[in-house]
Amino acid sequence: MTVQTVHTPAPERPGARRRALTAALALALAAGGTACGSDEPSRYSQTCGVVVDGSGSAAATRTGFDAEAKLKATLQTFLADRKCRKTSFAPITKVSKASKCQVSPLDLDPDASKTADRERTRTTMRAVALSNALKLLRCAQKEEPGSDVLGGLSRIALSKPSGDDASFDVLVVSDFDQGDTDFRLGRQDLSTAASRRTVIDGFLKSHGRPELSGADVYPVGYGMKYGTDTSRYEQFNSFWTELLEGRVKAHVHTTYRR
């Protein structure tokens, strides 16, 4: 897999960006439009999650997968495609469950007057979601290096709606290279189906099983560290496929995989 180089623009002042987003949202909520009565767009109801990997491999380097660039390239498209409304966020750090990094959930289709331009409001809120996800990423990158992917998935699972029929769409911006104090994926024997089963058994026993049964998971940056090493990628992919789909019972999609 070829990692594309992304030229990162000069950093902007966080305060100025927040003020601009706040002003844009106020205008969107107050703006008069043609959507009213039966012509008003139907409200969004989908619950979504965003998981952001702040480990060392998330950096914008030759060997990193550039989490910031991938968030900017995919998050707003994902939120629009999936018609996300309530959207929560979780970090991936060395100890994801205990990380102090957090941002509040967002309503991406908030209540407004019947004359408000709802599409404009949604677009503005998706921009706010991106700003918050980048804030979460920068916080995670300041924590002790490590990558507890499973912990990040368990943390976002706390936002999953209850009930067997409740759907949940999750964007996971990570290379999925689990590497915490107790488990490093690169040191495991993943060469056979039997050895992978043994590794997964121990991994889930020590780290817990994310409550994501029935959820739709959309990875971004998945397996990028393996580049053109087909053999190692196939073992890596078999491991996560068995864990996420076979054990956790989630549905994994390649829609936004880059």
Side-chain angles (χ1 to χ4, degrees), residues 31-92:
T34 58
C36 59
S38 61
D39 294 329
E40 184 179 6
S42 58
R43 301 298 297 277
Y44 289 170
S45 60
Q46 182 63 27
T47 302
C48 298
V50 180
V51 183
V52 181
D53 189 339
S55 65
S57 60
T61 62
R62 186 177 61 83
T63 57
F65 67 90
D66 199 343
E68 180 173 342
K70 284 182 169 44
L71 271 171
K72 291 178 177 178
T74 61
L75 178 55
Q76 292 180 88
T77 300
F78 163 79
L79 296 172
D81 289 348
R82 308 315 304 166
K83 293 181 169 54
C84 296
R85 184 167 183 181
K86 181 183 177 182
T87 301
S88 301
F89 304 83
I92 292 174

Side-chain angles (χ1 to χ4, degrees), residues 214-237:
D216 290 281
V217 177
Y218 298 84
V220 181
Y222 178 89
M224 289 192 68
K225 68 169 288 182
Y226 296 106
T228 58
D229 191 338
T230 304
S231 177
R232 291 186 65 200
Y233 175 81
E234 288 177 349
Q235 293 180 20
F236 162 90
N237 185 51

